[in-house]
Amino acid sequence: MVDEDGVWERLRLQLDQGRGVEPVSSPLTTHVLDTASGSPARSPCLCLHRLEDHGQQWTELGNSYPDPDGRCPGLLSPGHMKAGTYKLFFDTEGSWRKRGQESFYLYVEVVFTITNETHEVHVPLLLSPWSYTTYRGS
């Protein structure tokens, strides 16, 4: 995991110390909602990747868990977004298994393109054990 600015380490320390997560400004955000229960999804681990080496190699930029509101703060540090192809990987099977729920999908990968690095990008995931959907949010 690449953590040039120490964002992931600060988040981990805050959680370990019981202080919660302070909002971290990020040009890329996601929100995971459990549509089966009508509440935020709090457990799917997610990883952010960017396609590098002229489209040949995925590079992991970081990983996170949703906060109690289903949001993942600090996915990408300000100033680190650049035009290119990105992938959000959600471990949906692990999330449902923790709740004792069977799931049809083992994981969800959302691959998208950022063409303007000055725009904020929001990629929500609506999730149930049997379906998912995503869209470009605002």
Side-chain angles (χ1 to χ4, degrees):
M1 172 175 66
V2 177
D3 189 14
E4 295 171 4
D5 294 333
V7 171
W8 303 114
E9 182 63 16
R10 285 194 306 274
L11 289 172
R12 187 190 65 75
L13 288 173
Q14 289 171 5
L15 289 172
D16 287 350
Q17 296 168 359
R19 293 188 301 166
V21 176
E22 297 170 8
V24 177
S25 176
S26 176
L28 174 63
T29 58
T30 188
H31 194 184
V32 186
L33 299 171
D34 176 351
T35 57
S37 69
S39 61
R42 291 154 75 175
S43 59
C45 178
L46 66 96
C47 295
L48 174 65
H49 299 84
R50 183 171 46 226
L51 197 57
E52 305 284 356
D53 297 329
H54 307 290
Q56 300 297 314
Q57 177 83 25
W58 288 106
T59 300
E60 185 175 321
L61 302 177
N63 55 45
S64 183
Y65 286 90
D67 67 12
D69 193 36
R71 298 179 188 280
C72 294
L75 279 177
L76 197 57
S77 299
H80 284 99
M81 184 155 69
K82 52 186 181 180
T85 303
Y86 290 78
K87 172 173 65 174
L88 282 169
F89 172 92
F90 299 86
D91 176 19
T92 54
E93 180 186 40
S95 174
W96 293 115
R97 191 173 343 133
K98 285 180 187 176
R99 297 171 58 183
Q101 173 69 52
E102 184 182 346
S103 172
F104 183 69
Y105 295 101
L106 302 178
Y107 59 87
V108 173
E109 287 185 331
V110 181
V111 179
F112 55 96
T113 303
I114 293 175
T115 56
N116 187 333
E117 58 226 29
T118 63
H119 292 171
E120 292 184 355
V121 177
H122 184 60
V123 185
L125 177 67
L126 307 178
L127 184 62
S128 85
W130 316 114
S131 67
Y132 70 89
T133 189
T134 186
Y135 58 95
R136 165 106 193 242
S138 57

